[in-house]
Amino acid sequence: SAQDGLTALTKLRLAFGSARPFGLVILDGQMPDTTGVELAKLIRQREEGRDVRLLLLTSLSDTIERARALSIGLNSVIHRPVRTSHLFDAIIE
């Protein structure tokens, strides 16, 4: 886990350069230094980040924000509060 977007990017870069890159990243919609959507854009800009599954957890129910998130390459947007079954289904999907 990472406490903010910068730490998350650093951990992702290290993982991409290793033999065990992340296959799934669960993003928080609102982090101390960025949003989950902005972080997803940064991940998708990297060659190695194009195949990573990205799930966004958000308390916003704004359909425009959801459409924007999906258009930049998020695989799933899950609204809070998150039910375990919904998170499981999104991961399996």
Side-chain angles (χ1 to χ4, degrees), residues 62-72 77:
D62 185 350
T63 55
I64 293 172
E65 186 64 19
R66 177 181 168 77
R68 180 174 170 250
L70 294 174
S71 74
I72 63 158
V77 177

Side-chain angles (χ1 to χ4, degrees), residues 1-2 4 17 32 38 45 47 60 62 74 77 88:
S1 76
D4 56 45
E38 292 302 317
Q45 288 173 358
E47 180 71 31
L60 302 175
D62 185 350
L74 277 134
V77 177
F88 179 79

Side-chain angles (χ1 to χ4, degrees), residues 8-9 11-17 20-27 39-56 69-70 72-76 90-91 93:
L9 279 177
K11 288 184 176 199
L12 281 167
R13 284 187 191 119
L14 291 172
F16 288 148
R20 297 187 66 200
F22 293 110
L24 169 69
V25 176
I26 300 175
L27 301 164
L39 184 55
K41 282 176 31 180
L42 293 172
I43 294 169
R44 288 293 189 230
Q45 288 173 358
R46 298 182 58 86
E47 180 71 31
E48 313 90 357
R50 294 190 181 141
D51 294 327
V52 176
R53 287 193 45 80
L54 299 176
L55 278 68
L56 177 70
L70 294 174
I72 63 158
L74 277 134
N75 299 94
S76 186
I91 291 169
E93 186 181 286

